[in-house]
Amino acid sequence: MNADFAPGAIAASAMGKEKPYSEASERNRAPILAVLERWLGDCREVLEIGSGTGQHAVHFAARLPHLAWQPSDLPENLPGIRLWIDAAGLANLRAPLALDVNGGKWPEARYDAVFSANTAHIMSWPEVERMVARTAAALRPGSLFCLYGPFNYAGRFTSESNARFDASLRSRDPRMGIRDFEATDALARREGFVLMEDNAMPANNRLLVWRRAGGEERSATDRSAGEARRG
């Protein structure tokens, strides 16, 4: 789900047969794709949690045709996502699934990667915990979890704009808010993930990449060093 596009607006757009639109999704899709291209080359099945308007799903599926991209979101957002999918007509882009971290049935399939953008800060912390736990259960050993959004470091905001954004979120719902990187990484480690990369992104965002235990658990720094030694 995209932070700047409310669920009600997505549903209203879909009812009027107008595709929901997020300007932020248009701006951040290229830098996100640059990271995904490096990490998802060996993947085949990707689950996206919180597809929001559906713009990311269409863009990434079109540019990563080797992937079967599975969008998902809360039931009320699926009509808008379907409008984007139907217009794109991509063979590797699947129909969206109704998915709620708080309950309900999740796919029985096991994926090579899970991607989620702008979700952790609009969930409560217990919901973030459930998302990470259910993500771990949905992944094969050695698979990837890619999480995009703003994070605090050492308990501090990385910019004044992030501080204002956090205040805005908490005014809507005190359970929302920008998450601490250290707490999020500790949560991921408890679920069997190893942090591979922490990527700085435009507009004071990050793209974190973890690998589930059971694969080649080496960070990007370790991989680069190994390549240099082989060279």
Side-chain angles (χ1 to χ4, degrees):
M1 183 185 299
N2 297 296
D4 66 341
F5 211 102
I10 295 175
S13 294
M15 288 175 63
K17 302 301 181 182
E18 175 187 347
K19 288 187 294 185
Y21 180 80
S22 164
E23 182 62 39
S25 293
E26 292 298 301
R27 291 195 305 267
N28 63 33
R29 66 183 192 176
I32 292 175
L33 178 63
V35 176
L36 297 184
E37 285 176 327
R38 290 193 289 105
W39 282 100
L40 302 187
D42 295 330
C43 296
R44 293 294 177 266
E45 303 271 347
V46 177
L47 171 66
E48 181 184 10
I49 297 175
S51 297
T53 63
Q55 289 164 258
H56 277 167
V58 168
H59 185 72
F60 299 151
R63 283 152 183 82
L64 300 168
H66 68 286
L67 293 176
W69 194 277
Q70 178 61 72
S72 72
D73 211 303
L74 298 174
E76 59 265 29
N77 294 335
L78 300 190
I81 297 171
R82 290 192 189 100
L83 292 178
W84 280 94
I85 291 175
D86 291 347
L90 298 170
N92 64 323
L93 183 54
R94 294 175 174 168
L97 297 176
L99 215 60
D100 188 341
V101 300
N102 290 316
K105 186 176 180 180
W106 273 46
E108 295 181 2
R110 291 296 174 263
Y111 297 90
D112 302 311
V114 168
F115 169 76
S116 190
N118 288 327
T119 51
H121 55 268
I122 60 173
M123 296 178 179
S124 67
W125 181 247
E127 288 173 327
V128 175
E129 292 177 316
R130 287 191 282 273
M131 176 176 69
V132 175
R134 301 194 83 166
T135 292
L139 286 171
R140 302 182 180 98
S143 298
L144 300 169
F145 177 30
C146 305
L147 182 63
Y148 172 88
F151 291 91
N152 293 333
Y153 288 79
R156 297 181 178 180
F157 297 108
T158 60
S159 68
E160 287 298 322
S161 62
N162 275 7
R164 291 192 297 271
F165 180 51
D166 181 80
S168 174
L169 289 170
R170 294 181 188 277
S171 70
R172 290 165 49 193
D173 187 332
R175 297 171 298 177
M176 295 183 183
I178 294 179
R179 304 302 166 196
D180 288 337
F181 162 78
E182 293 84 359
T184 306
D185 185 47
L187 170 60
R189 284 188 278 112
R190 287 199 300 271
E191 295 296 338
F193 290 103
V194 177
L195 183 68
M196 308 301 288
E197 265 189 0
D198 177 357
N199 297 276
M201 306 295 281
N204 304 302
N205 287 296
R206 314 294 295 191
L207 180 46
L208 309 177
V209 180
W210 290 276
R211 189 183 295 280
R212 186 171 176 236
E216 186 182 2
E217 292 134 20
R218 293 187 301 158
S219 69
T221 301
D222 294 336
R223 289 187 287 112
S224 297
E227 291 167 1
R229 287 193 295 271
R230 287 194 297 272

